[in-house]
Amino acid sequence: MSLRIVTWNVNSVRLRAEQVARFVAEQAPDVLCLQEIKCLPDQFPEAAFRDMGLPHLKVAGQKGWHGVAIASRHPIAEAPDLAACREGHARCVSGVIQGVEIQNFYIPAGGDIPDRVLNPKFDHKLDFYARLTRQFAARDPRAPLLVAGDLNIAPGENDVWNHRYMSKIVSHTPIEVEAMRALQASLAFADVVRDAHPEDQKLASWWSYRAADFRQSNRGLRLDHLWTSPGLTPAVVPGSARIHEDVRAWERPSDHAPVALDLAV
């Protein structure tokens, strides 16, 4: 069978429930990994997701900020809670669906100053990466594991609109890229979306609200990722990994676009 998995920073699940329903109707995902749901678990719009055909939920929320969730057509079994956030924010949620362990993260953005001493938010971001790196390094790479989420780093030169400029801006600084590369190497994860496209092709999943026309300004960043462990990578359906850029152009959109892949499981 095929399992379509999507990661999407929805920037308030209650505010964007209609957009989510439209996307689900058009693209028929089996699993949605959501970030920035911005609500407590008992405020999550469960009825709307049942109506979408995604009745199985794992929600980690907090009032007005952060928050992550997994919504699925199939039952969700328990998976390890990696608890990588030292501040206790709702930034991690996990589950096993059709034999695949899914770890869904909303990693801190890191503030504006790329300095661990001057900026505690930036230190928190790098600490989050270090904690995940240590935990994944101890895992069995043969196990089917998918990492999804808004990881808030655009790693490659063509994952940002301007490499030279963005190298000094939080989300693409050398120390962040190094932290992401270390996390990827910890379990030899495949960066499925980038691997499906030529290295010199510009890719983005986030565009600022400040631009009236995000396509015309074309200042995007690839912050949203789907990674597979060596034990899962062979199950990725060739040609299935894509960024749904068109969703960013919908009315009252999130500033992030959904990112999808299909697995043959």
Side-chain angles (χ1 to χ4, degrees):
M1 66 172 291
S2 177
L3 196 66
R4 177 162 293 168
I5 301 176
V6 173
T7 183
W8 190 4
N9 180 323
V10 292
N11 194 10
S12 178
V13 69
R14 292 177 292 177
L15 185 62
R16 315 233 188 262
E18 289 186 10
Q19 287 97 327
V20 176
R22 175 182 171 184
F23 179 81
V24 171
E26 292 181 2
Q27 300 298 328
D30 298 289
V31 181
L32 276 180
C33 297
L34 302 175
Q35 304 89 39
E36 273 202 281
I37 62 171
K38 295 185 175 178
C39 66
L40 293 167
D42 62 2
Q43 298 170 324
F44 192 89
E46 293 185 18
F49 279 80
R50 283 196 301 271
D51 291 344
M52 294 175 209
L54 300 170
H56 303 283
L57 301 169
K58 283 286 295 293
V59 180
Q62 71 185 80
K63 185 176 181 180
W65 296 94
H66 318 312
V68 285
I70 298 174
S72 172
R73 296 188 188 277
H74 308 286
I76 305 175
E78 291 300 315
D81 179 3
L82 300 186
C85 181
R86 73 183 185 194
E87 306 295 332
H89 300 161
R91 293 182 178 272
C92 309
V93 70
S94 61
V96 176
I97 300 171
Q98 298 296 104
V100 177
E101 179 183 337
I102 297 172
Q103 294 284 346
N104 177 24
F105 302 111
Y106 173 47
I107 293 182
D112 297 325
I113 304 170
D115 187 297
R116 300 191 73 160
V117 175
L118 297 177
N119 179 8
K121 292 181 179 179
F122 192 71
D123 183 68
H124 179 208
K125 180 177 191 174
L126 295 179
D127 180 76
F128 198 112
Y129 265 93
R131 289 172 184 240
L132 285 182
T133 300
R134 288 193 297 270
Q135 293 184 73
F136 283 135
R139 303 288 293 274
D140 182 355
R142 297 169 297 180
L145 169 63
L146 182 135
V147 168
D150 178 358
L151 306 187
N152 258 316
I153 294 176
E157 292 191 16
N158 289 305
D159 296 327
V160 295
W161 62 276
N162 184 307
H163 169 62
R164 174 180 281 186
Y165 174 78
M166 288 301 304
S167 292
K168 301 176 180 134
I169 306 297
V170 172
S171 72
H172 188 61
T173 62
I175 190 172
E176 291 172 279
V177 172
E178 181 182 352
M180 176 171 265
R181 297 297 185 203
L183 178 60
Q184 186 178 357
S186 69
L187 202 64
F189 287 109
D191 180 351
V192 178
V193 174
R194 175 45 77 189
D195 290 348
H197 297 83
E199 190 61 40
D200 61 354
Q201 180 179 341
K202 291 279 189 183
L203 295 175
S205 63
W206 171 92
W207 298 262
S208 173
Y209 283 130
R210 293 174 184 168
D213 184 333
F214 77 98
R215 286 192 172 112
Q216 183 176 7
S217 66
N218 199 26
R219 294 191 173 193
L221 308 175
R222 189 171 72 96
L223 303 178
D224 304 272
H225 301 271
L226 291 166
W227 292 359
T228 51
S229 67
L232 186 61
T233 300
V236 176
V237 176
S240 67
R242 60 174 295 197
I243 300 170
H244 290 270
E245 179 182 317
D246 59 304
V247 176
R248 179 62 177 81
W250 289 359
E251 186 176 353
R252 297 179 70 200
S254 169
D255 45 357
H256 294 254
V259 181
L261 62 74
D262 292 349
L263 298 173
V265 295

